[in-house]
């Protein structure tokens, strides 16, 4: 069984809501899901190597920055090689800022730079997921799990 880590930073609860919905979308798939919130749950960057798939979520702070609670963890990622790990990113966004959901893109670029196979484009939701965005989050989780369980196209 493939192991998936849903790792996220959330200040207002919007990204946490997305993580919960993504988890729901994966619940009937053949994957083991571990969900952790940075700054609340204990997690060392080395633990990420224990997973076949990583879904990394964050809200965007200010004009396009990672949130403060994620900065140290982000920097510590540089010691890892994610070759063989499949990943995707997600996050709540606010269109009042000039760089919409930049943290989602920053995380995706970092994972790719470290060798992860990005199997889905980043999921961005305006603030709190509602209506069709709820279904988009669930479908994102389901699709990620399905792609994770398929043989790599690069094999």
């Amino acid at each position: 069984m493939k192991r998936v880590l849903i790792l996220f930073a959330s200040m207002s609860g919007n990204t946490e809501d997305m993580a919960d919905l993504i988890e729901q979308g994966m619940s009937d798939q053949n994957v083991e899901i571990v969900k952790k919130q940075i700054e609340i749950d204990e997690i060392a960057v080395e633990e990420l190597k224990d997973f076949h798939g990583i879904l990394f979520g964050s809200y965007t702070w200010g004009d396009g920055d990672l949130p403060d609670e994620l900065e140290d963890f982000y920097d510590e990622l540089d010691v890892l090689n994610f070759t063989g790990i499949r990943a995707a990113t997600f996050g709540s966004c606010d269109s009042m800022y000039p760089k919409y959901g930049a943290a989602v893109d920053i995380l995706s670029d970092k994972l790719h730079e470290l060798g992860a196979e990005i199997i889905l484009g980043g999921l961005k939701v305006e603030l709190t997921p509602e209506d069709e965005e709820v279904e988009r989050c669930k479908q994102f989780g389901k699709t990620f799990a399905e792609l994770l369980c398929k043989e790599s196209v690069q094999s």
Side-chain angles (χ1 to χ4, degrees):
M1 180 180 291
K2 302 282 186 178
R3 295 186 74 221
V4 177
L5 174 64
I6 302 173
L7 180 66
F8 64 96
S10 185
M11 180 174 65
S12 64
N14 295 335
T15 304
E16 182 174 8
D17 289 346
M18 290 180 71
D20 291 343
L21 293 166
I22 290 167
E23 180 181 27
Q24 287 176 31
M26 296 185 347
S27 65
D28 64 347
Q29 303 299 305
N30 191 27
V31 294
E32 176 188 343
I33 305 163
V34 175
K35 185 170 60 177
K36 294 191 176 201
Q37 182 171 351
I38 294 174
E39 289 292 306
I40 292 178
D41 297 310
E42 286 293 319
I43 185 158
V45 293
E46 296 82 22
E47 289 179 60
L48 276 64
K49 295 293 289 175
D50 296 337
F51 295 89
H52 300 99
I54 298 171
L55 286 159
F56 205 160
S58 178
Y59 63 97
T60 299
W61 183 249
D63 291 331
D65 302 315
L66 292 174
D68 290 343
E69 69 267 25
L70 190 54
E71 287 180 354
D72 290 340
F73 190 86
Y74 176 86
D75 291 339
E76 291 172 14
L77 290 173
D78 286 333
V79 302
L80 298 179
N81 179 338
F82 285 97
T83 302
I85 295 176
R86 294 179 173 181
T89 56
F90 65 95
S92 63
C93 309
D94 190 338
S95 58
M96 76 177 243
Y97 292 108
K99 294 182 183 173
Y100 185 76
V104 174
D105 302 326
I106 291 168
L107 292 174
S108 184
D109 290 347
K110 175 63 92 177
L111 291 170
H112 178 70
E113 171 189 317
L114 297 173
E117 180 185 357
I118 307 301
I119 60 174
L120 281 178
L123 175 64
K124 298 178 183 181
V125 169
E126 179 75 13
L127 302 173
T128 303
E130 295 178 4
D131 303 322
E132 69 252 7
E133 293 162 338
V134 167
E135 290 310 312
R136 277 182 52 220
C137 291
K138 290 179 181 179
Q139 186 61 49
F140 186 80
K142 180 179 181 183
T143 302
F144 183 86
E146 290 171 348
L147 292 171
L148 178 67
C149 293
K150 286 185 178 181
E151 287 300 314
S152 174
V153 294
Q154 298 176 357
S155 305

